[in-house]
């Protein structure tokens, strides 16, 4: 009898101690949260235990269907296990939420109304953190600028599309050229403004999505992306998605604008004078499209900090591609460039970050430098307390040649001092046969080689690619920071493009891309007001290659490729001087690059001593 009583009480004690671990994760599904204009946004609430105990909340606002989002980041499940509430919401006009979807508009108001709803719930203790990658990261930084009193902390991952850098709205333009593959690809696969569902609103809509018949209902049949890929080279580009029978979207409205159009300037993005009231831990990668903008945001928030908490802005930049943050080395996706030592304990870093700010847990979350970054080529992680990195030395490598620089078999050279006399290299750019994109810094294109480091050797055999290569380095150098090229060019047409690619050439001849950029000549002076060029007149232009970190090891060579296309990443310039997105015809262009003398073209690399 005594033994049975002891066992009974022991069982009660055991259950009371471990009950939180034994309880399953529950969900309040499709709660219709009312916005100020009467529109309801469908919202899922994940929790463990009862739904009346106040606790901190993690908010995730998504464009990608909340019903499929919870398991994207294993940390969210772990947070619920540790006593957090996780709230995932379909943004306005997407999937289960009511209203009309418009990319980059109206998110601050909806975010504020959602936060007001959260803090009014019995399970909320009034403290909210933000989480998510890509569009989800973008939604974070935009909401942070509202300085809502419930916001305590953010953890934006690959959020660069949420920052307005003139001419780079939503990362859809670069140097005046339209980022075709990334932007059109995203609109084709994820940009639909139409979803099928019950003709119900508010609570009735919530009941329907919680009903058995909704379980197998597909709000939008999968789009056959092959239709889009088959038409990618067709003209005009303004009709690309329509002729591919993609779902209705704002793509045409988007493409019909100039790179720094008032439409983009009015978007609900973080501007260069915005401030925030919360600390942030940013993640990004060197082969993603926006590491530079992420760094700009973090530095802006830190410099404008109004209290000691907002001074805590940190960045971790790894070697991978979009939203690829590996826990183990073999989880990395970065093309086919060999890399090692790539992993970070990203999961634990996130848990510590939220526990420190939302639960007051003592840990090392804030005991870190401003920037932790991976050096490609060196396979090492390094740190810095500022951006650009202190004591950076900007080193110019000048274009030169011993014979024509067409292809890597030509005589193009990269030297540390310019030649005294002017020389010229020339190629024919044919829009019908553009230089193909291979790896690089993009996402959402639907191709297997959309981003990362790849051997460019085959591309470098083309006659329309000028190749300039240094001698083997006698001593390795680290390059980390902003990269730009300053080149003198001319064209036989009234408009064309010039592309620049920075490459690391290994001793065996393998040539891995590091960064790339483009300048559309009509936008060489202004991203708002285009101006055509005079055929055969020489112009000095800058090509922005954004930022990266790479160690050019001893015995490696530095290489620069120059051409006029990088397709389909960038929309082809048709060389006619007419609006490219409306054009159906093209002409070939005879394009020239000058170097030496008073036309000393160069690429400028940020070298870390």
């Amino acid at each position: 009898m005594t033994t049975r009583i002891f066992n009974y009480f022991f069982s009660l004690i055991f259950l009371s101690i471990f009950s939180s671990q034994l309880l399953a994760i529950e969900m309040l599904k499709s709660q219709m949260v009312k916005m100020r204009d009467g529109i309801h946004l469908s919202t899922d609430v994940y929790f463990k235990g009862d739904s009346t105990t106040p606790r901190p909340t993690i908010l995730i606002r998504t464009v990608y269907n909340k019903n499929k989002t919870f398991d994207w980041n294993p940390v969210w499940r772990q947070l619920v296990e540790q006593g957090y509430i996780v709230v995932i919401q379909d943004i306005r006009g997407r999937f289960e939420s009511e209203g009309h979807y418009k990319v980059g508009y109206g998110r601050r108001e909806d975010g504020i109304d959602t936060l007001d709803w959260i803090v009014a719930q019995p399970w909320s203790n009034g403290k909210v953190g933000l989480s998510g990658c890509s569009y989800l990261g973008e939604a974070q930084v935009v909401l942070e600028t509202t300085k809502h009193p419930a916001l305590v902390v953010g953890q934006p991952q690959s959020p660069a599309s949420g920052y307005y850098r003139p001419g780079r709205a939503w990362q859809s333009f670069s140097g005046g050229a339209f980022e075709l593959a990334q932007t059109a690809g995203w609109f084709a696969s994820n940009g639909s403004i139409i979803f099928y569902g019950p003709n119900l609103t508010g609570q009735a809509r919530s009941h329907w999505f919680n009903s058995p018949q909704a379980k197998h209902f597909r709000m939008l049949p999968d789009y056959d992306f092959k239709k889009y890929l088959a038409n990618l080279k067709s003209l005009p580009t303004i009709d690309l998605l329509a002729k591919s029978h993609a779902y209705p979207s704002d793509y045409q409205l988007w493409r019909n604008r100039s790179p720094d159009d008032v439409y983009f300037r009015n978007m609900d993005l973080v501007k260069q004078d915005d401030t925030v009231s919360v600390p942030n831990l940013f993640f990004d990668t060197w082969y993603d499209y926006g590491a530079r903008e992420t760094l700009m945001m973090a530095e802006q928030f830190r410099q404008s900090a109004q209290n000691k908490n907002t001074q805590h802005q940190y960045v971790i930049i790894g070697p991978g591609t979009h939203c690829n943050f590996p826990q183990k080395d073999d989880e990395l996706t970065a093309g086919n460039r060999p890399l090692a030592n790539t992993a970070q304990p990203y999961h634990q870093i996130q848990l510590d970050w939220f526990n420190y700010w939302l639960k007051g847990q003592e840990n090392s979350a804030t005991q870190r430098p401003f920037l932790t970054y991976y050096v490609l080529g060196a396979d090492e992680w390094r740190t810095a307390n500022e951006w650009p990195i202190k004591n950076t030395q900007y080193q110019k490598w000048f274009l030169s040649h011993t014979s024509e620089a067409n292809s890597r078999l030509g005589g193009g050279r990269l030297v540390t001092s310019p030649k005294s006399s002017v020389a010229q290299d020339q190629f024919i750019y044919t829009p019908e046969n553009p230089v193909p994109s291979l790896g690089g810094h993009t996402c959402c294109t639907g191709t297997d080689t959309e981003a990362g480091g790849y051997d460019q050797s085959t591309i470098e055999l083309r006659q329309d690619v000028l190749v300039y290569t240094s001698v083997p380095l006698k001593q390795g150098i680290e390059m980390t920071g902003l990269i730009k090229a300053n080149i003198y060019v001319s064209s036989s047409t009234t408009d064309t493009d010039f592309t620049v690619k920075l490459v690391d050439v290994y001793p065996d001849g393998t040539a891995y891309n590091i960064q790339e950029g483009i300048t559309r000549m009509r936008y060489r002076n202004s991203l708002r007001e285009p101006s055509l060029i005079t055929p055969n007149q020489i112009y000095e232009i800058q090509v922005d290659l954004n930022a990266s970190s790479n160690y050019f090891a001893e015995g490696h060579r530095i290489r620069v490729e120059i051409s006029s296309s990088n397709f389909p990443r960038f929309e082809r310039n048709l060389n006619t001087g007419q609006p490219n997105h409306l054009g159906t015809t093209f002409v070939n262009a005879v394009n020239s690059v000058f170097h030496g003398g008073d036309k000393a073209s160069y690429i400028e690399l940020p070298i870390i001593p």
Side-chain angles (χ1 to χ4, degrees), residues 442-458:
T442 185
C443 89
C444 319
T445 69
T447 61
D448 293 334
T449 58
E450 69 179 12
Y454 288 89
D455 183 9
Q456 308 292 310
S457 296
T458 300

Side-chain angles (χ1 to χ4, degrees), residues 19 74 128 139 155 192 202 214 225 368 391 405 426 434 440 504 525 552 558 583:
S19 59
V128 180
Q155 205 280 291
S192 175
F225 203 71
R368 59 170 53 251
N391 297 325
Q426 194 173 84
D504 185 346
N525 296 324
F552 294 93
I558 303 172

Side-chain angles (χ1 to χ4, degrees), residues 151-168:
L151 287 178
V152 175
V153 64
Q155 205 280 291
Q157 302 175 13
S158 299
S161 56
Y163 187 70
Y164 188 71
R165 180 176 154 213
R168 289 278 285 161

Side-chain angles (χ1 to χ4, degrees), residues 282-298:
F282 294 86
F283 292 169
D284 217 313
T285 60
W286 289 127
Y287 280 114
D288 201 355
Y289 52 64
R292 178 179 182 179
E293 285 79 10
T294 292
L295 284 160
M296 291 174 71
M297 255 191 298

Side-chain angles (χ1 to χ4, degrees), residues 169-221:
W170 218 55
Q171 314 294 297
S172 57
F173 289 87
S174 184
F178 184 59
E179 294 254 9
L180 179 67
Q182 175 170 288
T183 312
W186 187 89
F187 274 104
S189 58
N190 292 294
S192 175
I193 60 175
I194 294 178
F195 289 86
Y196 307 101
N199 188 23
L200 302 168
T201 61
Q203 199 62 30
R205 190 175 176 89
S206 174
H207 288 323
W208 191 90
F209 282 116
N210 277 282
S211 67
Q213 61 263 37
K215 186 174 294 185
H216 303 291
F217 181 79
R218 300 179 72 182
M219 294 203 67
L220 194 69

Side-chain angles (χ1 to χ4, degrees), residues 440-474:
H441 307 74
T442 185
C443 89
C444 319
T445 69
T447 61
D448 293 334
T449 58
E450 69 179 12
Y454 288 89
D455 183 9
Q456 308 292 310
S457 296
T458 300
I459 290 174
E460 293 168 349
L461 290 174
R462 293 174 61 112
Q463 289 298 302
D464 57 353
V465 178
L466 302 180
V467 180
Y468 302 90
T469 310
S470 74
V471 298
L473 298 176
K474 294 181 179 179

Side-chain angles (χ1 to χ4, degrees), residues 354-420:
F354 287 123
N355 285 333
Y356 180 89
W357 292 105
L358 291 170
K359 287 188 173 181
Q361 183 184 99
E362 290 298 324
N363 57 43
S364 60
T366 61
Q367 298 172 20
R368 59 170 53 251
F370 168 67
L371 173 61
T372 301
Y373 67 99
Y374 183 92
V375 184
L376 299 161
D379 298 337
E380 294 179 2
W381 291 88
R382 297 181 184 166
T383 62
N385 285 313
E386 64 287 303
W387 181 263
I389 295 174
K390 188 177 181 180
N391 297 325
T392 299
Q393 298 174 358
Y394 293 94
Q395 190 176 95
K396 294 178 180 178
W397 288 80
F398 294 90
L399 308 187
S400 182
H401 75 198
T402 57
S403 61
E404 294 179 341
N406 304 77
S407 88
R408 63 181 169 86
L409 303 180
R413 299 291 180 263
L414 205 59
V415 297
T416 54
S417 299
K419 300 294 183 180
S420 59

Side-chain angles (χ1 to χ4, degrees), residues 33-36 41 43 59-61 87-91 107-121 123 128 143 148 150:
V33 180
K34 189 175 182 178
M35 301 292 103
R36 63 190 65 184
L41 305 188
T43 307
L59 171 62
I60 300 143
R61 303 192 69 236
V87 171
I88 306 180
Q89 181 181 76
D90 284 334
I91 68 170
R107 293 178 294 186
R108 299 185 196 214
E109 293 83 356
D110 286 352
I112 289 171
D113 293 349
T114 299
L115 289 170
D116 288 345
W117 175 80
I118 287 174
V119 298
Q121 303 309 303
W123 39 258
V128 180
L143 182 53
H148 192 285

